[in-house]
């Protein structure tokens, strides 16, 4: 039972650390956007991701204001 508890706690801590890292990355991205205005539209991002999913080796589209 002790080993199961330790594993559950380690999994929880790992999951929470990953969530916090994602939150920090999102905050930094939002701050960068607020400072520069650079962005992609949803359509541009989706078209790029669709091309990647099809196996195409394409660069991400250029950000714009």
């Amino acid at each position: 039972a002790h080993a199961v508890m330790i594993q559950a706690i380690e999994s929880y801590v790992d999951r929470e650390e990953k969530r916090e890292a994602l939150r920090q990355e999102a905050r930094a991205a939002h701050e960068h956007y607020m400072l520069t205005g650079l962005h992609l539209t949803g359509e541009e991002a989706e078209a790029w991701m669709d091309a990647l999913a099809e196996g195409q080796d394409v660069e991400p589209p250029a950000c714009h204001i």
Side-chain angles (χ1 to χ4, degrees):
H2 180 65
V4 172
M5 239 176 28
I6 288 177
Q7 184 181 7
I9 292 168
E10 287 174 346
S11 293
Y12 173 78
V13 169
D14 184 54
R15 196 170 47 249
E16 289 304 308
E17 286 174 345
K18 288 177 181 174
R19 278 189 187 143
E20 183 58 28
L22 181 60
R23 280 187 212 109
Q24 293 299 324
E25 186 178 338
R27 285 183 187 134
H30 182 257
E31 186 175 316
H32 183 264
Y33 165 72
M34 295 302 289
L35 290 172
T36 66
L38 294 174
H39 67 282
L40 294 177
T41 65
E43 292 83 16
E44 292 166 331
E46 187 173 344
W48 173 59
M49 289 186 286
D50 286 344
L52 290 175
E54 292 171 359
Q56 299 176 31
D57 187 22
V58 293
E59 294 292 319
C63 293
H64 52 83
I65 295 179

